[in-house]
Amino acid sequence: MAACQTTETPPAATPCGVNTAVTVTLLDETNIRLDGVQVSYRVNGGEWAAYPERVNGRVTLTGITGTYQIRAQKPGYRTSETIVPLAAFSCEGEPAQTTMILPPAQCPVTPHPLLIQLPPAGTPQLYAAAANPRTGGDRERALTCQEQDDHGCRQYALPLQQGDLGNFSLEIEGLPGIGDMEVVDGAVSYAAAPYDLTLSQGNRQQTFDLAAAESATLTLPVERDEVGCPLVDLTAVTLTTTSAYPEPGVYLAGNLLMTDLSAEVCQQTPVLSDITFIMKLPPGTRLEDAQMIYWRDEAWVTGECRLEDGQYLCTAQLPNPLVNQTYSVRAVVNGQEYIGTQLPFSNMCMVFSGGD
């Protein structure tokens, strides 16, 4: 009955003067005609041409004299190809006949892995895990390197197993991030080189932009294809990144020792010293709108700042050691204060070292 219900694609009309080349019959392994088949062909090794409609059972191809290479594809079946060497027939002649059998596709014992292609920059570290439907937790999935250069692995393979289903996670750390801080026309900027990550499985691929990212997490939904193989839905992958651009803040460049007032190092006479801090500024910040302030002698004092070796360094003059006094340093960006360090203790001794 299935055979009787199969409809055929009617042969294309062939006007006189245009040669009829070959008629293709499309069957499965039980000799039942297949519908919805995509047929492509090329003549004498030329460009591939796709038949404009899905073929139901049979199709007649027309063209010039030559050798025809024909390809038939249908979801759930293995691709089939055949070659028909012939001299094309005239309108009065009969076309050459060929039959193509498409066996059902089967998931291989080892399914196709997901390939992860990385640019030749930086030395990122990758970690993958698969959701465990029984426990609700994750289990680590080891990645294998497929391509390597002098700087590290540039293509990893995430192996997939027959029973895989659900979300995988792919975490990437140690991305190139951004370059040193620069000041252009009074505004802060950072160089960020392009960094595209490409995922591919079979003939499908998807590219993600990781420029200016410090780390990234990709959620990979794994489904089943028409023959039950695990298939990553690349169109549904979600990406979360941690930006490499800094948030406003100020940080001590050297070391700070906090100790008891009775410590020997705290018995020396305090000396007003230059203490260096690193000020972090997001891109687009104008230097005229950024400053570091610190607490000294019961008042806020503005530090002296400069751009040096790709860092915005600010200097505070504080007694060293700082004995029995409040220690507070802040960044002020666009009128908003960001507390770097604030220790309102009156029974401590603080000793600064390094960073001068």
PDB file of all heavy atoms in Angstrom, residues 35-57:
ATOM      1  N   ASP A  35      10.013   9.619  -1.277  1.00  0.00           N
ATOM      2  CA  ASP A  35       9.609  10.976  -1.638  1.00  0.00           C
ATOM      3  C   ASP A  35      10.420  11.982  -0.814  1.00  0.00           C
ATOM      4  O   ASP A  35      11.105  11.644   0.140  1.00  0.00           O
ATOM      5  CB  ASP A  35       8.111  11.178  -1.436  1.00  0.00           C
ATOM      6  CG  ASP A  35       7.701  10.943   0.012  1.00  0.00           C
ATOM      7  OD1 ASP A  35       8.581  10.687   0.859  1.00  0.00           O
ATOM      8  OD2 ASP A  35       6.498  11.023   0.295  1.00  0.00           O
ATOM      9  N   GLY A  36      10.340  13.238  -1.219  1.00  0.00           N
ATOM     10  CA  GLY A  36      11.036  14.302  -0.503  1.00  0.00           C
ATOM     11  C   GLY A  36      12.543  14.214  -0.584  1.00  0.00           C
ATOM     12  O   GLY A  36      13.248  14.601   0.357  1.00  0.00           O
ATOM     13  N   VAL A  37      13.073  13.737  -1.709  1.00  0.00           N
ATOM     14  CA  VAL A  37      14.521  13.570  -1.863  1.00  0.00           C
ATOM     15  C   VAL A  37      15.100  14.787  -2.585  1.00  0.00           C
ATOM     16  O   VAL A  37      14.526  15.257  -3.579  1.00  0.00           O
ATOM     17  CB  VAL A  37      14.846  12.283  -2.656  1.00  0.00           C
ATOM     18  CG1 VAL A  37      16.363  12.111  -2.782  1.00  0.00           C
ATOM     19  CG2 VAL A  37      14.215  11.070  -1.980  1.00  0.00           C
ATOM     20  N   GLN A  38      16.220  15.277  -2.069  1.00  0.00           N
ATOM     21  CA  GLN A  38      16.930  16.369  -2.738  1.00  0.00           C
ATOM     22  C   GLN A  38      17.939  15.762  -3.709  1.00  0.00           C
ATOM     23  O   GLN A  38      18.818  14.999  -3.309  1.00  0.00           O
ATOM     24  CB  GLN A  38      17.660  17.250  -1.728  1.00  0.00           C
ATOM     25  CG  GLN A  38      18.506  18.359  -2.364  1.00  0.00           C
ATOM     26  CD  GLN A  38      17.662  19.356  -3.155  1.00  0.00           C
ATOM     27  OE1 GLN A  38      16.818  20.042  -2.590  1.00  0.00           O
ATOM     28  NE2 GLN A  38      17.887  19.422  -4.459  1.00  0.00           N
ATOM     29  N   VAL A  39      17.808  16.113  -4.975  1.00  0.00           N
ATOM     30  CA  VAL A  39      18.691  15.589  -6.014  1.00  0.00           C
ATOM     31  C   VAL A  39      19.561  16.724  -6.548  1.00  0.00           C
ATOM     32  O   VAL A  39      19.061  17.806  -6.884  1.00  0.00           O
ATOM     33  CB  VAL A  39      17.883  14.947  -7.169  1.00  0.00           C
ATOM     34  CG1 VAL A  39      18.810  14.538  -8.313  1.00  0.00           C
ATOM     35  CG2 VAL A  39      17.101  13.749  -6.644  1.00  0.00           C
ATOM     36  N   SER A  40      20.852  16.464  -6.619  1.00  0.00           N
ATOM     37  CA  SER A  40      21.804  17.405  -7.213  1.00  0.00           C
ATOM     38  C   SER A  40      22.623  16.652  -8.256  1.00  0.00           C
ATOM     39  O   SER A  40      22.799  15.428  -8.161  1.00  0.00           O
ATOM     40  CB  SER A  40      22.730  17.994  -6.140  1.00  0.00           C
ATOM     41  OG  SER A  40      21.992  18.602  -5.106  1.00  0.00           O
ATOM     42  N   TYR A  41      23.113  17.384  -9.236  1.00  0.00           N
ATOM     43  CA  TYR A  41      23.913  16.724 -10.269  1.00  0.00           C
ATOM     44  C   TYR A  41      24.861  17.732 -10.909  1.00  0.00           C
ATOM     45  O   TYR A  41      24.692  18.946 -10.814  1.00  0.00           O
ATOM     46  CB  TYR A  41      23.008  16.099 -11.327  1.00  0.00           C
ATOM     47  CG  TYR A  41      22.204  17.084 -12.142  1.00  0.00           C
ATOM     48  CD1 TYR A  41      22.617  17.469 -13.414  1.00  0.00           C
ATOM     49  CD2 TYR A  41      21.024  17.648 -11.629  1.00  0.00           C
ATOM     50  CE1 TYR A  41      21.885  18.379 -14.166  1.00  0.00           C
ATOM     51  CE2 TYR A  41      20.296  18.548 -12.369  1.00  0.00           C
ATOM     52  CZ  TYR A  41      20.726  18.917 -13.636  1.00  0.00           C
ATOM     53  OH  TYR A  41      20.006  19.815 -14.361  1.00  0.00           O
ATOM     54  N   ARG A  42      25.880  17.178 -11.547  1.00  0.00           N
ATOM     55  CA  ARG A  42      26.780  18.004 -12.339  1.00  0.00           C
ATOM     56  C   ARG A  42      27.209  17.211 -13.563  1.00  0.00           C
ATOM     57  O   ARG A  42      27.189  15.964 -13.561  1.00  0.00           O
ATOM     58  CB  ARG A  42      27.992  18.448 -11.533  1.00  0.00           C
ATOM     59  CG  ARG A  42      28.892  17.343 -11.025  1.00  0.00           C
ATOM     60  CD  ARG A  42      30.062  17.948 -10.261  1.00  0.00           C
ATOM     61  NE  ARG A  42      30.959  16.941  -9.740  1.00  0.00           N
ATOM     62  CZ  ARG A  42      32.094  17.221  -9.090  1.00  0.00           C
ATOM     63  NH1 ARG A  42      32.456  18.490  -8.911  1.00  0.00           N
ATOM     64  NH2 ARG A  42      32.867  16.248  -8.650  1.00  0.00           N
ATOM     65  N   VAL A  43      27.573  17.933 -14.603  1.00  0.00           N
ATOM     66  CA  VAL A  43      27.896  17.321 -15.882  1.00  0.00           C
ATOM     67  C   VAL A  43      29.360  17.591 -16.206  1.00  0.00           C
ATOM     68  O   VAL A  43      29.830  18.729 -16.106  1.00  0.00           O
ATOM     69  CB  VAL A  43      26.992  17.873 -17.001  1.00  0.00           C
ATOM     70  CG1 VAL A  43      27.262  17.143 -18.316  1.00  0.00           C
ATOM     71  CG2 VAL A  43      25.524  17.762 -16.605  1.00  0.00           C
ATOM     72  N   ASN A  44      30.065  16.524 -16.549  1.00  0.00           N
ATOM     73  CA  ASN A  44      31.465  16.630 -16.951  1.00  0.00           C
ATOM     74  C   ASN A  44      32.329  17.346 -15.906  1.00  0.00           C
ATOM     75  O   ASN A  44      33.214  18.135 -16.236  1.00  0.00           O
ATOM     76  CB  ASN A  44      31.591  17.351 -18.307  1.00  0.00           C
ATOM     77  CG  ASN A  44      30.899  16.586 -19.427  1.00  0.00           C
ATOM     78  OD1 ASN A  44      30.834  15.350 -19.403  1.00  0.00           O
ATOM     79  ND2 ASN A  44      30.363  17.310 -20.402  1.00  0.00           N
ATOM     80  N   GLY A  45      32.043  17.092 -14.631  1.00  0.00           N
ATOM     81  CA  GLY A  45      32.852  17.662 -13.557  1.00  0.00           C
ATOM     82  C   GLY A  45      32.645  19.135 -13.320  1.00  0.00           C
ATOM     83  O   GLY A  45      33.457  19.776 -12.638  1.00  0.00           O
ATOM     84  N   GLY A  46      31.545  19.694 -13.847  1.00  0.00           N
ATOM     85  CA  GLY A  46      31.288  21.125 -13.668  1.00  0.00           C
ATOM     86  C   GLY A  46      30.688  21.445 -12.307  1.00  0.00           C
ATOM     87  O   GLY A  46      30.825  20.686 -11.346  1.00  0.00           O
ATOM     88  N   GLU A  47      29.997  22.585 -12.243  1.00  0.00           N
ATOM     89  CA  GLU A  47      29.389  23.020 -10.995  1.00  0.00           C
ATOM     90  C   GLU A  47      28.168  22.162 -10.664  1.00  0.00           C
ATOM     91  O   GLU A  47      27.433  21.718 -11.549  1.00  0.00           O
ATOM     92  CB  GLU A  47      28.959  24.487 -11.099  1.00  0.00           C
ATOM     93  CG  GLU A  47      30.116  25.467 -11.273  1.00  0.00           C
ATOM     94  CD  GLU A  47      30.984  25.540 -10.031  1.00  0.00           C
ATOM     95  OE1 GLU A  47      30.427  25.377  -8.917  1.00  0.00           O
ATOM     96  OE2 GLU A  47      32.199  25.744 -10.176  1.00  0.00           O
ATOM     97  N   TRP A  48      27.969  21.944  -9.363  1.00  0.00           N
ATOM     98  CA  TRP A  48      26.792  21.212  -8.918  1.00  0.00           C
ATOM     99  C   TRP A  48      25.541  22.079  -9.105  1.00  0.00           C
ATOM    100  O   TRP A  48      25.560  23.270  -8.852  1.00  0.00           O
ATOM    101  CB  TRP A  48      26.920  20.830  -7.449  1.00  0.00           C
ATOM    102  CG  TRP A  48      27.855  19.681  -7.205  1.00  0.00           C
ATOM    103  CD1 TRP A  48      29.163  19.740  -6.870  1.00  0.00           C
ATOM    104  CD2 TRP A  48      27.529  18.286  -7.278  1.00  0.00           C
ATOM    105  NE1 TRP A  48      29.690  18.484  -6.730  1.00  0.00           N
ATOM    106  CE2 TRP A  48      28.706  17.569  -6.973  1.00  0.00           C
ATOM    107  CE3 TRP A  48      26.353  17.586  -7.567  1.00  0.00           C
ATOM    108  CZ2 TRP A  48      28.749  16.173  -6.950  1.00  0.00           C
ATOM    109  CZ3 TRP A  48      26.399  16.194  -7.551  1.00  0.00           C
ATOM    110  CH2 TRP A  48      27.568  15.499  -7.250  1.00  0.00           C
ATOM    111  N   ALA A  49      24.466  21.436  -9.543  1.00  0.00           N
ATOM    112  CA  ALA A  49      23.171  22.113  -9.674  1.00  0.00           C
ATOM    113  C   ALA A  49      22.133  21.285  -8.919  1.00  0.00           C
ATOM    114  O   ALA A  49      22.103  20.057  -9.028  1.00  0.00           O
ATOM    115  CB  ALA A  49      22.780  22.238 -11.142  1.00  0.00           C
ATOM    116  N   ALA A  50      21.308  21.950  -8.139  1.00  0.00           N
ATOM    117  CA  ALA A  50      20.269  21.255  -7.376  1.00  0.00           C
ATOM    118  C   ALA A  50      18.967  21.265  -8.154  1.00  0.00           C
ATOM    119  O   ALA A  50      18.566  22.306  -8.701  1.00  0.00           O
ATOM    120  CB  ALA A  50      20.086  21.912  -6.008  1.00  0.00           C
ATOM    121  N   TYR A  51      18.290  20.131  -8.227  1.00  0.00           N
ATOM    122  CA  TYR A  51      16.972  20.087  -8.829  1.00  0.00           C
ATOM    123  C   TYR A  51      16.064  20.988  -7.988  1.00  0.00           C
ATOM    124  O   TYR A  51      16.087  20.924  -6.757  1.00  0.00           O
ATOM    125  CB  TYR A  51      16.448  18.656  -8.865  1.00  0.00           C
ATOM    126  CG  TYR A  51      15.241  18.491  -9.752  1.00  0.00           C
ATOM    127  CD1 TYR A  51      15.376  18.459 -11.132  1.00  0.00           C
ATOM    128  CD2 TYR A  51      13.958  18.380  -9.214  1.00  0.00           C
ATOM    129  CE1 TYR A  51      14.269  18.320 -11.963  1.00  0.00           C
ATOM    130  CE2 TYR A  51      12.850  18.238 -10.028  1.00  0.00           C
ATOM    131  CZ  TYR A  51      13.010  18.217 -11.406  1.00  0.00           C
ATOM    132  OH  TYR A  51      11.906  18.087 -12.219  1.00  0.00           O
ATOM    133  N   PRO A  52      15.271  21.851  -8.621  1.00  0.00           N
ATOM    134  CA  PRO A  52      14.585  22.917  -7.874  1.00  0.00           C
ATOM    135  C   PRO A  52      13.520  22.431  -6.901  1.00  0.00           C
ATOM    136  O   PRO A  52      13.087  23.195  -6.037  1.00  0.00           O
ATOM    137  CB  PRO A  52      13.978  23.790  -8.978  1.00  0.00           C
ATOM    138  CG  PRO A  52      13.880  22.894 -10.158  1.00  0.00           C
ATOM    139  CD  PRO A  52      15.039  21.956 -10.070  1.00  0.00           C
ATOM    140  N   GLU A  53      13.064  21.187  -7.008  1.00  0.00           N
ATOM    141  CA  GLU A  53      12.010  20.686  -6.124  1.00  0.00           C
ATOM    142  C   GLU A  53      12.462  19.387  -5.477  1.00  0.00           C
ATOM    143  O   GLU A  53      13.343  18.691  -5.998  1.00  0.00           O
ATOM    144  CB  GLU A  53      10.727  20.435  -6.923  1.00  0.00           C
ATOM    145  CG  GLU A  53      10.184  21.657  -7.647  1.00  0.00           C
ATOM    146  CD  GLU A  53       9.047  21.291  -8.591  1.00  0.00           C
ATOM    147  OE1 GLU A  53       8.717  20.081  -8.664  1.00  0.00           O
ATOM    148  OE2 GLU A  53       8.500  22.198  -9.243  1.00  0.00           O
ATOM    149  N   ARG A  54      11.874  19.076  -4.321  1.00  0.00           N
ATOM    150  CA  ARG A  54      12.085  17.760  -3.733  1.00  0.00           C
ATOM    151  C   ARG A  54      11.450  16.716  -4.647  1.00  0.00           C
ATOM    152  O   ARG A  54      10.350  16.901  -5.186  1.00  0.00           O
ATOM    153  CB  ARG A  54      11.474  17.680  -2.337  1.00  0.00           C
ATOM    154  CG  ARG A  54      12.195  18.545  -1.300  1.00  0.00           C
ATOM    155  CD  ARG A  54      13.599  17.996  -1.036  1.00  0.00           C
ATOM    156  NE  ARG A  54      14.218  18.668   0.100  1.00  0.00           N
ATOM    157  CZ  ARG A  54      14.983  19.741   0.029  1.00  0.00           C
ATOM    158  NH1 ARG A  54      15.193  20.288  -1.172  1.00  0.00           N
ATOM    159  NH2 ARG A  54      15.524  20.264   1.091  1.00  0.00           N
ATOM    160  N   VAL A  55      12.150  15.624  -4.835  1.00  0.00           N
ATOM    161  CA  VAL A  55      11.753  14.612  -5.811  1.00  0.00           C
ATOM    162  C   VAL A  55      10.961  13.512  -5.121  1.00  0.00           C
ATOM    163  O   VAL A  55      11.363  13.012  -4.062  1.00  0.00           O
ATOM    164  CB  VAL A  55      12.997  14.028  -6.502  1.00  0.00           C
ATOM    165  CG1 VAL A  55      12.617  12.845  -7.389  1.00  0.00           C
ATOM    166  CG2 VAL A  55      13.691  15.116  -7.309  1.00  0.00           C
ATOM    167  N   ASN A  56       9.850  13.111  -5.731  1.00  0.00           N
ATOM    168  CA  ASN A  56       9.030  12.008  -5.234  1.00  0.00           C
ATOM    169  C   ASN A  56       9.178  10.804  -6.161  1.00  0.00           C
ATOM    170  O   ASN A  56       8.536  10.727  -7.209  1.00  0.00           O
ATOM    171  CB  ASN A  56       7.563  12.413  -5.146  1.00  0.00           C
ATOM    172  CG  ASN A  56       7.337  13.505  -4.121  1.00  0.00           C
ATOM    173  OD1 ASN A  56       8.061  13.581  -3.125  1.00  0.00           O
ATOM    174  ND2 ASN A  56       6.356  14.348  -4.359  1.00  0.00           N
ATOM    175  N   GLY A  57      10.060   9.931  -5.807  1.00  0.00           N
ATOM    176  CA  GLY A  57      10.181   8.656  -6.519  1.00  0.00           C
ATOM    177  C   GLY A  57      11.010   8.667  -7.772  1.00  0.00           C
ATOM    178  O   GLY A  57      11.872   7.803  -7.959  1.00  0.00           O
TER     179      GLY A  57
END
